[in-house]
Each structure stands twice: as C-alpha cells, then as structure tokens.
Amino acid sequence: MNERQQARRPGGRSARVGAQVHQAVTDLISERGYGNFTVGEVAARAGVADSSIYRRWGSLETLLTDVALTRLNAQSPMPDTGSVAGDLRAYAAQVAREITGPDGPAVLHLAVALSSTGQQGLQAGDILRTERMRQLQSMLDRARDRGEPAPDALDVLDHILAPMYIRVLFGIVPLAPDYIDGLVDRLL
C-alpha cells in the first residue's frame, strides 16, 4: 500500500486530523462566534500546521462549509421507517437532538453565518441548502414511490426545520417531543 492510499484510510491519521480540525472550529465558534478567528488559531487549537489546513481545505470558508456539512450529514441521516409520517417524525427528532446537543448551537450558528457570506461562484449557504434539500427530497421521493402523498421539501424546511432552528437561535429550548411531533402533524 502506498503512502497516498494510507492517508485516505478511514480512521487513519488523515481522519484524526480532520476530526481535530473540525472540533477546533466548532469550539472556536462556540467561544468566539463566526468570523472571530483565523486559520492559524484553528491550526493551533487542533495541533496541526496551518499549511495542512490550507492544503486540505484551501480557505477558512471552505473549511467552515465542510464542518457544517459534515456535522449536519453525520448527525441527521435520512430515516427510512416505512412511512412518510414516521420518517418525518424520526428526522425531526434527530435534527432536534443535533441542534440542541453540545456542538449543535455552534454548528447551527455556523450554517446561518455561512448562508449570508460567500465567495465567487456558489456561496457556502447555497451548498449547505442544496445538500440538505437533496437529502430531504430523497426521503420524500421514497414516500411517493411507496404511493404515499408527501409534502414538498421546501414545506419541510418551512414547517419543521425553520421553527426548530429559530427556537435554538433565540434560546427557546429544549425542543420537547410533543412540540416536534406537532410540527410534523401540522405539516401533514
């Protein structure tokens, strides 16, 4: 096995460095907020050279986008319970746990901040929204394939995700199970 193949091995040094850098970003956002730290500070916190971060991610915005996407995707996989109501309830409960967990508010604040910034071409917020909508659409398409009527992905965003995000952003927590189920019930 050559050196390049070893670097891509799951659980290897590359994965550890990525996890350390992601955690450093999340910690810095929790402590200082978006836009109040540099690549050098992330590198120092993660125990890596800043050149490693630039080589792997290219820019702070790209790193921040990767952190948000990785956290959102890893913590909120699309459920497959066999019914659209079950899928939406399970998904909403996962998102609620994700955004109220130890790193959840920081990741949510990061996603919001990235949505209002950007560089040439596709903005980070566009990337985050596109990926989340793609995932939602796959869950809703599965329901339609089973013959169930399913809401539009934007309706899920408007009626389930947005109210939970707003509550967390404004410190109106916890997100009780009956509140979450009520959001799904009102949508369906």
Side-chain angles (χ1 to χ4, degrees):
M1 180 180 296
N2 68 35
E3 189 174 323
R4 175 168 263 181
Q5 289 170 322
Q6 288 176 340
R8 293 184 181 164
R9 185 186 68 211
R13 184 180 185 287
S14 180
R16 281 192 310 278
V17 167
Q20 290 168 313
V21 170
H22 279 216
Q23 189 60 52
V25 166
T26 303
D27 292 345
L28 286 165
I29 289 170
S30 292
E31 294 167 15
R32 301 183 191 174
Y34 175 80
N36 296 317
F37 54 88
T38 65
V39 168
E41 291 169 310
V42 172
R45 177 76 60 105
V48 301
D50 56 351
S51 60
S52 295
I53 293 174
Y54 283 115
R55 186 172 42 255
R56 187 166 180 174
W57 287 280
S59 70
L60 183 58
E61 184 173 326
T62 302
L63 169 59
L64 296 174
T65 302
D66 185 51
V67 169
L69 274 173
T70 300
R71 294 287 173 110
L72 291 173
N73 293 340
Q75 295 176 8
S76 291
M78 294 295 114
D80 188 0
T81 66
S83 75
V84 70
D87 289 351
L88 287 171
R89 285 186 206 302
Y91 177 69
Q94 286 173 357
V95 169
R97 282 190 302 275
E98 164 195 316
I99 64 176
T100 59
D103 294 335
V107 173
L108 184 55
H109 282 278
L110 173 59
V112 170
L114 288 170
S115 294
S116 63
T117 64
Q119 52 192 358
Q120 292 179 337
L122 201 57
Q123 289 187 348
D126 293 334
I127 295 167
L128 293 169
R129 185 181 59 254
T130 299
E131 177 61 17
R132 183 53 81 201
M133 295 301 282
R134 184 193 63 73
Q135 292 174 338
L136 282 171
Q137 194 60 55
S138 70
M139 179 177 62
L140 299 171
D141 287 346
R142 237 186 2 251
R144 287 186 190 98
D145 290 345
R146 289 189 303 260
E148 293 180 87
D152 181 71
L154 278 175
D155 287 336
V156 175
L157 180 69
D158 289 342
H159 298 282
I160 297 175
L161 297 180
M164 291 192 300
Y165 289 177
I166 291 296
R167 282 184 173 231
V168 171
L169 288 171
F170 287 107
I172 306 169
V173 288
L175 299 176
D178 58 332
Y179 170 74
I180 296 164
D181 286 345
L183 294 173
V184 174
D185 290 343
R186 284 189 292 279
L187 174 61
L188 295 178

